[in-house]
Each structure stands twice: as structure tokens, then as C-alpha cells.
Amino acid sequence: MSNTLAPWLLPDGYGRPALAALLREGTVVTEAGRFAVRRSASRRARRRTPVAARAAARRAEPVLLIPGFLAGDWTLTAMAGELRARGFRTYRSRIHANIGCTLGSALALEARLEQIAERRDARVQIVGHSLGGMIARGLAVRRPDLVAGIVTMGSPMRAPAAHHALLTRGVRVLNRLSDAGVPGLMSADCVAGECAHLSFTESQERLRADVAMTNLYSKRDGIVDWRACIDPDGTAVEVRASHVGMALDPRVIDAVTTALLGRSAAYDAPLAVVDTA
């Protein structure tokens, strides 16, 4: 493994996906098409529904969505729209590109959580994709008074370095730019120093009993080792999707909805493994 990342970020038992695994990410085209078909059907159904019956019942807890590495809020626009249509109050992370220090991002998101919780007078549920889920895990440990539950999608919390070598190259580029003086980028300390150690340690701590966690993972993930996405404190739910496609596949959105409803104080629905074959 490249020395760009600290060796303890890849514990024994986990590995980095092979180069050929990246080919599985090509199914994102199919997943995008599946989303387009679902949305079209939903719009037709909505037009046939009387206006007075269109409004979905509002859920009790707000939902914050956090994008993955190199991504921004725009990558979760499709999911946010679907969740709003189902009655959830969704909020953006205000991350334009998730390329900065993880601890710095966590601090900014903590302030965002405080703002949302105060506005809605309720603890917040968090949905995080990839790195976003790892950040959500740390926030849930640090501020259980603000976080009601989290849903992670393809987030290798148990082994943050168990990802494709292509991502490591991206990290290396950010480190070099940071060393050159470009502000706001992930530095070497964020992936191999004290900053990385603090982030990793926090993400391994036990969650408070009243903070629910669901871990969505896919054995078709071409970016991260799916085994690293299963946390002993959470409920593991397998889906069939590419890593990138988790953000828009309607079957994954259904799984996210089920997880959120399982925690919602207003809607007590049991959480079951979702078959997306």
C-alpha cells in the first residue's frame, strides 16, 4: 500500500479492490436510468392525484445529507428530492467538494447540526455517502444530543484505506497541493498524521444506545471493500448497486427511507433487509 495513507487505516482482514473492480462502477448508467424511470412514474402518479391529497405527512426528525470524497451536495440532489417527496425535511451539508480536512469538515457540520436541531427543535438524522458516512459516524459519537441516527452508504468506517488505488492517487494530489500552499485541501496530516488518527479513533467508538445506525453496503462496490462498511454497532443492509450509484439508485433510496422510518419518532416502522436483486 502506498505510504500516502497511514498503515493503521487498513487493518488486517480488509483489502483494496482490484483494478478490474472499477469496471463494476459502469452500472451507474443503469442505476441512473432506473432512477429516471421511477421519477417519471412518480410524476405521472402525482398528476393523477388530487391536489389536496398530494402533500406527504411530515416526519418528526430532519435529515442532513453528507456527500462522499471529491463530491458535493449536488451528488445527493436526487436522493434529497425523493426523500422530500416522502415527507422528510432534508438539509444540505453546504459542502461544495469534500476535499478538505476531515476534522475541519466535521466541525463545520457540527455547527450545521446545531443550527438545524435548534430550528426544528429535534435531533437530526444523517445520511452519509462514502466519506460522508464516516464523518456522520464521528459526529454521532461526539454529539449524540444532536444526532438521532445515521445511515451510511458504502462507507468503509472499519478500514478507511480499504479503497481503490485511484482514490489514493486523488488523495496524493490533494496532499501535494496542500503542501504547495493551496488552502482548504486535505493535507498529509489528514491521512497519515495526528489528524487522521483522531478521526479514525473517534469513528471506532461505541455509539450511544439511543443513536440508531444502518450500514448499507454492496458486494458490487468497485471503490471500497464492502466488508469495511459493516459496523458492529449498526444494522447491515445489503443492496445491489455500484459505489457511485448508491446516491441515486431508487432501490437504495427505498432502503434509506426504511432505515429513516425505523428511527423516526413519528413513524415506527420495523427495519428489514432490503432485497434489491
Side-chain angles (χ1 to χ4, degrees):
M1 185 180 73
S2 169
N3 58 10
T4 299
L5 305 169
W8 36 263
L9 293 178
L10 187 63
D12 291 340
Y14 303 103
R16 295 158 68 85
L19 180 61
L22 196 61
L23 296 175
R24 295 199 291 266
E25 291 301 303
T27 61
V28 68
V29 177
T30 302
E31 290 148 359
R34 190 177 293 120
F35 175 81
V37 170
R38 167 78 72 88
R39 171 160 287 189
S40 178
S42 297
R43 286 175 175 172
R44 288 196 301 271
R46 181 177 176 82
R47 285 196 293 267
R48 293 193 298 268
T49 304
V51 174
R54 289 181 182 178
R58 287 292 181 187
R59 313 304 178 189
E61 295 161 342
V63 179
L64 173 66
L65 286 81
I66 307 178
F69 179 58
L70 299 177
D73 286 328
W74 62 274
T75 61
L76 295 175
T77 298
M79 180 169 289
E82 285 294 298
L83 292 178
R84 285 195 300 273
R86 301 176 191 194
F88 294 98
R89 297 181 185 275
T90 64
Y91 292 85
R92 292 173 294 179
S93 68
R94 295 178 178 169
I95 293 176
H96 300 296
N98 204 345
I99 55 177
C101 170
T102 301
L103 282 182
S105 296
L107 288 173
L109 286 167
E110 185 176 343
R112 179 76 169 135
L113 281 172
E114 290 175 343
Q115 179 188 57
I116 296 170
E118 181 177 1
R119 179 178 178 181
R120 293 298 172 193
D121 191 26
R123 292 160 70 198
V124 183
Q125 296 206 69
I126 305 176
V127 177
H129 185 208
S130 196
L131 176 59
M134 295 162 65
I135 295 174
R137 178 71 165 79
L139 287 169
V141 167
R142 186 186 310 171
R143 295 300 305 271
D145 57 316
L146 297 176
V147 180
I150 65 174
V151 182
T152 66
M153 302 183 295
S155 304
M157 295 162 292
R158 308 304 296 175
H163 59 241
H164 198 280
L166 187 63
L167 259 66
T168 303
R169 295 190 184 99
V171 170
R172 188 180 299 119
V173 169
L174 293 176
N175 291 169
R176 290 175 177 173
L177 289 173
S178 178
D179 290 342
V182 179
L185 299 181
M186 192 176 288
S187 69
D189 188 53
C190 296
V191 295
E194 183 62 22
C195 178
H197 188 266
L198 287 173
S199 295
F200 180 65
T201 300
E202 187 172 61
S203 70
Q204 305 306 301
E205 294 181 19
R206 297 296 303 272
L207 291 176
R208 201 169 76 179
D210 63 342
V211 179
M213 176 168 61
T214 300
N215 308 127
L216 303 187
Y217 70 95
S218 173
K219 293 181 180 179
R220 291 188 174 187
D221 198 315
I223 300 297
V224 305
D225 182 349
W226 63 268
R227 297 171 298 175
C229 302
I230 299 176
D231 193 298
D233 273 4
T235 299
V237 176
E238 182 180 356
V239 297
R240 286 172 69 88
S242 66
H243 185 81
V244 175
M246 284 188 188
L248 47 79
D249 191 307
R251 302 172 303 181
V252 176
I253 296 175
D254 289 344
V256 170
T257 300
T258 301
L260 293 174
L261 289 176
R263 174 60 184 83
S264 175
Y267 291 79
D268 185 16
L271 178 64
V273 173
V274 177
D275 182 6
T276 59

